[in-house]
Structure formats: C-alpha cells, structure tokens
Amino acid sequence: MNKTDKINKYVEFQWWEGVEKRHIARWLKNFSGNEEIGELILNNIIFYSDEQLKSYTRCIVNEMQADIYQKDMEKNKYYQNDEYYTELWKEYCKNMRIMPAATSDDAGSSGYEVVRRYRKFFCDAMISSIDKIPSLLTNQLKELVFVDDFSGSGNQMKSFLENSITIRKKKYRLCDLPDEFPDIKITVALYVIHKEALKLLKEEFPKIEVRYIDLIDDGLNFLNSESIIYKNLSSEKRKEIIEFISKKRDEIIKSDIRYEKMQKYEKNIPIVFQKRCPNNALILLFAETKEWKSLFELGE
C-alpha cells in the first residue's frame, strides 16, 4: 500500500473525523511539486478521536480511584470489600471538584471541552470553575483537578496556575494553594503532555500532581533532523524536507500576527484532537492564510 492509498484508507474509515478526500486534495495543493512532503506529514499525524479521548478520561478517573484505594489500604493494612471502596470513592468525590484549566474569559478553550467528558463520571455538582474556589474552601474540600487535553511547552499551563483568586479579601495564586491550604490536593490532569512541559511543571510546582496518559518528546518534531519521522531517510532528504517546512512556516508566521504570537508555544508536532490542533502543533496543519489552506482547525 503506497502513501496515497494509506491516506485514503484513513479517510474511508473516518479515522480523521470530518476530513474528506476533497479536504486532503485541497491541502496537498499547498505542496505543489512537493506533495510527498505533504503525504509524509499526513502519514505521521497523531490523531486523537473523541472515542479515544473518552477512554483516556476513564483511565484518568480510574487512576484517581486507585490512588484513594491504595492510601486507604496502606492506612488500614488490609483490603476491604468492594462495597467499602465504592462508598469510599463516593464520599471522596463529594469533596473533589473538576475544573477546566482555563479562566471564565476562555470559555471556548479546550479545557471546557475536556471537562464535559468528565460529566459522565461525576455529577454536575462536582464540575466547577476557578471563580467558585473561594466558596468551595468553606467546605471540606479535598482535591481540585484542573483538566485539559495537551500541554506542549508548559508555558500556557504555567500561566494558568499563576492566575490569582481572592479568598477572604486576600489574593492567592492557584499554584500557591497547597502552601496556604495544605489539606487540599491540587492536580493537573492531561491526556497528553510533552516531556518539556512535564519537566517545567514539576520544577515550578513540586506540590502539584500532574496526571497524564501519553508522554511525547521532541522525537516527533518535524524540524528536528533526528526525529523518528525521518528514520528511513537520508540526511540530504531530511535537510530538504526541513528546509521546505521551515520556509513555509516562516511565510505563514510573517503573513499573520496570530501565528507570530504562537512561536513561544510551538513544538512542530503533527498532533490533532478530533478536528483541532493545539497551538503547539505543526503550523502547516492548521494555518489559514491567503497563500496557505488549512486541513484542521486551530483549537482555542
């Protein structure tokens, strides 16, 4: 099966949700004379479907449950029956809140999309937002879980955790809550995280737990000549592809200030969540300018 046949199979099986052959053909026109580079990108897309993300949500919730059970077993030195642990988790959930890793000003962001998937596992009363934290602290709050789909550079999550809220007329950064309220656990839960982001978050916020399912690294960066994407290609071919992608990237960035501002986040990774790319993704997948047509949308 050649690359084109493989790409057509992805479309026929509706693996890339909402993408049709005409969309592929339109996007490949961007690569006039260099279609094989476009096909290389398509064949290396890391695509997360809605069903897969629902499964990842379940995995994260299962990990949370397992931690609660494990701590109880360590405390009591033996295993209780299933009914006991079901009730234990139910009681713990009463004092846990799931929140998008976003402020109310970012209501269209990926964090709000992700938090909707958690509704299947938690009642509506457990889904909240950061502006509700001051009122929640009057109760026996045990854990705050901030959710999102992806963290690439870690800068955006870092900025979020440095947001301040007012509690009893005093301002506290979200990341400082474990120091001020040691009985409350702060967790960041992500579907996917880049090694660089994980390192940054652990160094900056050692008291905040980071949960994730997939860990990726710079080996998926299209501008990295050592990327596994180029495993079977000669050094000359790698150089040719990287020069082409870099040139198109630079043209896109110069043509629109929106993309220029994203440079501090970009990881040049071909990653897509349903039909949307995070701002760390390879810009050639989501950019839309007079000279360049997008294949996927840019997530908020």
Side-chain angles (χ1 to χ4, degrees):
M1 183 183 294
N2 61 37
K3 290 180 180 179
T4 302
D5 288 340
K6 187 177 179 182
I7 292 164
N8 286 336
K9 287 296 182 184
Y10 284 136
V11 176
E12 289 171 12
F13 294 150
Q14 297 184 334
W15 176 244
W16 295 332
E17 296 169 10
V19 175
E20 300 175 10
K21 289 182 181 179
R22 60 188 176 89
H23 299 136
I24 299 289
R26 175 179 179 265
W27 184 74
L28 284 174
K29 286 182 179 179
N30 294 316
F31 297 84
S32 180
N34 292 279
E35 285 82 3
E36 75 280 1
I37 297 178
E39 291 176 350
L40 179 68
I41 294 172
L42 291 174
N43 274 293
N44 284 280
I45 286 175
I46 307 164
F47 190 92
Y48 291 90
S49 67
D50 184 50
E51 286 304 311
Q52 188 174 357
L53 295 177
K54 287 177 182 177
S55 176
Y56 276 27
T57 306
R58 179 182 292 279
C59 287
I60 291 172
V61 174
N62 287 345
E63 285 183 2
M64 292 177 181
Q65 287 179 286
D67 282 355
I68 299 303
Y69 300 164
Q70 181 65 33
K71 288 176 182 177
D72 186 81
M73 282 186 272
E74 290 173 357
K75 177 183 176 182
N76 295 316
K77 306 301 182 185
Y78 63 90
Y79 181 84
Q80 305 275 6
N81 59 47
D82 290 349
E83 185 178 341
Y84 170 86
Y85 289 111
T86 298
E87 190 61 28
L88 178 69
W89 175 244
K90 185 178 178 181
E91 287 301 309
Y92 187 85
C93 286
K94 289 179 180 178
N95 297 306
M96 178 171 65
R97 293 296 181 272
I98 311 296
M99 302 181 175
T103 65
S104 57
D105 294 331
D106 300 318
S109 70
S110 55
Y112 280 87
E113 179 68 26
V114 171
V115 84
R116 283 194 280 271
R117 295 193 186 95
Y118 281 83
R119 291 183 183 277
K120 179 178 179 180
F121 305 97
F122 302 105
C123 65
D124 286 348
M126 288 183 59
I127 307 298
S128 192
S129 54
I130 65 170
D131 57 301
K132 299 292 194 304
I133 293 177
S135 61
L136 292 171
L137 292 175
T138 60
N139 302 318
Q140 295 180 329
L141 188 65
K142 291 183 178 179
E143 184 172 1
L144 291 173
V145 183
F146 299 120
V147 302
D148 208 343
D149 53 13
F150 178 61
S151 184
S153 66
N155 291 321
Q156 203 163 332
M157 184 60 72
K158 179 176 181 290
S159 296
F160 167 74
L161 292 170
E162 290 173 340
N163 273 302
S164 294
I165 57 174
T166 302
I167 302 172
R168 305 185 191 106
K169 298 182 180 180
K170 184 177 179 180
K171 285 189 176 294
Y172 297 94
R173 297 188 308 170
L174 294 175
C175 57
D176 293 331
L177 291 179
D179 294 318
E180 301 297 331
F181 305 92
D183 292 335
I184 300 174
K185 180 181 178 180
I186 305 294
T187 300
V188 169
L190 304 158
Y191 297 136
V192 189
I193 191 168
H194 191 284
K195 277 188 176 180
E196 183 179 306
L198 182 60
K199 181 174 182 290
L200 174 68
L201 296 178
K202 285 190 171 183
E203 289 178 350
E204 292 285 334
F205 315 114
K207 293 186 179 181
I208 294 178
E209 180 173 2
V210 181
R211 292 186 182 276
Y212 57 89
I213 303 298
D214 288 349
L215 179 65
I216 62 176
D217 59 29
D218 213 41
L220 298 169
N221 183 342
F222 258 96
L223 297 187
N224 173 16
S225 62
E226 299 302 315
S227 170
I228 58 173
I229 293 166
Y230 303 128
K231 182 179 179 181
N232 299 315
L233 300 179
S234 67
S235 56
E236 291 79 11
K237 190 63 178 176
R238 296 181 190 201
K239 182 180 178 182
E240 176 189 330
I241 294 170
I242 291 172
E243 285 180 351
F244 176 88
I245 292 175
S246 296
K247 180 183 176 183
K248 294 301 180 182
R249 168 195 171 275
D250 292 345
E251 289 173 356
I252 289 168
I253 288 173
K254 289 177 182 177
S255 70
D256 195 318
I257 193 170
R258 291 178 302 162
Y259 304 129
E260 184 178 346
K261 290 179 178 179
M262 291 179 192
Q263 291 182 78
K264 63 179 179 179
Y265 301 119
E266 65 180 345
K267 290 294 172 190
N268 305 299
I269 294 172
I271 188 169
V272 185
F273 292 90
Q274 291 179 275
K275 294 186 292 185
R276 297 181 178 181
C277 293
N279 55 17
N280 318 86
L282 182 66
I283 198 169
L284 273 59
L285 286 171
F286 63 79
E288 182 74 29
T289 70
K290 290 182 179 179
E291 303 298 327
W292 190 271
K293 304 306 176 186
S294 63
L295 179 59
F296 298 102
E297 300 172 8
L298 172 62
E300 294 296 329

